Amino acid sequence: MKISISMYSLNTTVKKEGWTVVDFIEYAKGLSLDGVELLDIYWKSKAKDQEIIQVIEAIRNNNLQVSAYDVTNNFVKESSKERALEVAKVEEGIRIAKQLGTSIVRVFCGDLHENVTYDEGQEWIVEGLKKSAILAEQEQIYLAVENHGLLVGKSRQVDEIIRKVGSPYVKSTFDAGNSLLVHEKPQDAFDLLKNEIVHVHFKDFREKKQSEPTSGFRSTLGVEIIGTVPGDGQVDLPYIVEGLKEINYDGWLSIEYEGIKDDKSSNEKAVQRLRSLLG
């Protein structure tokens, strides 16, 4: 297994210091990682061509790989025109992933909102993924659905969508922490999805203590959850890593820190802990 870090893991620093994608890549090299996970939200310009060229050069110069390219799409839109734009967004992500040399595009699905039923939302997600999968199959790029939100937060929801789409190139980004936001044991979620996993977010969460002044993420039952350095929270990460070893997973483990402490030092600790688990 190879170790990567998501640019989102440094989101506070990225915003505070105005980092470009190249700045992040140079930081990641200092951690002696195998790769980096990049996201569509961090391009400085809508015309990305020149930035992509610079990123490809930085990746090569720093002897890194791109583990995944993340697209922030949302198929749960009421009009067909809006949904078509989301498919186009994923298709652009596939083309950029190809340029960056990764076979993984992390995709979202969307979430429930007013006037949309669960069945409607799932139907639009399946429709969007089926359309997006046409290009994904041609380019041999995996669309890796992250367990995220009310429509696809639980492992059974992700599994159902993957099965309904029915493409060999629509698989799972297993996020070890997100299961806690929908009150599912991460071990159980992993066990259900392990044969569909092509990308992993190495992440940890815990319930916020009442005495802590910070605000956290709201779970589906209204419990506040905050991010931690992997190993300091409630996710049984050794179980996940050992399970990946048992199925001979040889893909990426990408660190995604979403806590409130200094993100640079927190990510450095996360790298050390993941290396220790991998042995």
Side-chain angles (χ1 to χ4, degrees), residues 66-77:
V66 177
S67 58
Y69 181 66
D70 295 7
V71 176
T72 51
N73 61 295
N74 178 6
F75 292 127
V76 186
K77 300 288 182 72

Side-chain angles (χ1 to χ4, degrees), residues 80 84 118 122 128 150 153 158 192 217 234-235 249 273:
S80 59
Y118 180 88
Q122 190 190 75
L150 295 176
V158 176
L192 180 60
F217 301 100
Q234 295 171 231
V235 179
Y249 176 79
R273 290 179 181 180

Side-chain angles (χ1 to χ4, degrees), residues 94-134:
I94 292 168
R95 295 185 183 99
I96 291 174
K98 195 80 172 181
Q99 289 178 271
L100 297 174
T102 179
S103 62
I104 306 290
V105 171
R106 191 293 317 270
V107 291
F108 284 146
C109 288
D111 213 342
L112 286 174
H113 54 83
E114 192 175 358
N115 299 325
V116 175
T117 68
Y118 180 88
D119 289 341
E120 284 175 328
Q122 190 190 75
E123 180 182 343
W124 294 336
I125 289 167
V126 171
E127 171 195 78
L129 285 171
K130 281 185 175 181
K131 290 179 178 179
S132 302
I134 295 171

Side-chain angles (χ1 to χ4, degrees), residues 155-225:
S155 58
R156 61 172 177 78
Q157 294 169 330
V158 176
D159 185 61
E160 186 175 14
I161 285 170
I162 289 172
R163 293 182 186 282
K164 285 189 174 184
V165 175
S167 168
Y169 283 91
V170 175
K171 294 294 184 179
S172 162
T173 286
F174 179 70
D175 188 298
N178 283 354
S179 299
L180 294 176
L181 292 168
V182 293
H183 298 276
E184 180 177 27
K185 289 183 179 180
Q187 304 97 301
D188 294 342
F190 172 79
D191 287 341
L192 180 60
L193 291 173
K194 62 184 178 183
N195 293 321
E196 304 293 344
I197 294 171
V198 294
H199 184 229
V200 177
H201 278 165
F202 190 73
K203 185 164 78 180
D204 209 350
F205 281 141
R206 65 168 173 82
E207 289 189 18
K208 186 180 83 72
K209 299 173 183 176
Q210 288 187 343
S211 59
E212 292 177 303
T214 187
S215 59
F217 301 100
R218 287 279 177 185
S219 78
T220 52
L221 297 180
V223 177
E224 279 195 275
I225 306 287

Side-chain angles (χ1 to χ4, degrees), residues 202 229-230 255 265-275:
F202 190 73
V229 175
I255 294 163
S265 60
S266 295
N267 278 289
E268 288 159 14
K269 289 178 184 176
V271 172
Q272 292 170 0
R273 290 179 181 180
L274 180 50
R275 283 205 179 102

Side-chain angles (χ1 to χ4, degrees), residues 4-7 24 35-39 67-68 70 199 201 254:
S4 168
I5 187 171
S6 170
M7 191 167 175
F24 165 68
V36 289
E37 181 177 353
L38 305 181
L39 297 85
S67 58
D70 295 7
H199 184 229
H201 278 165
S254 193

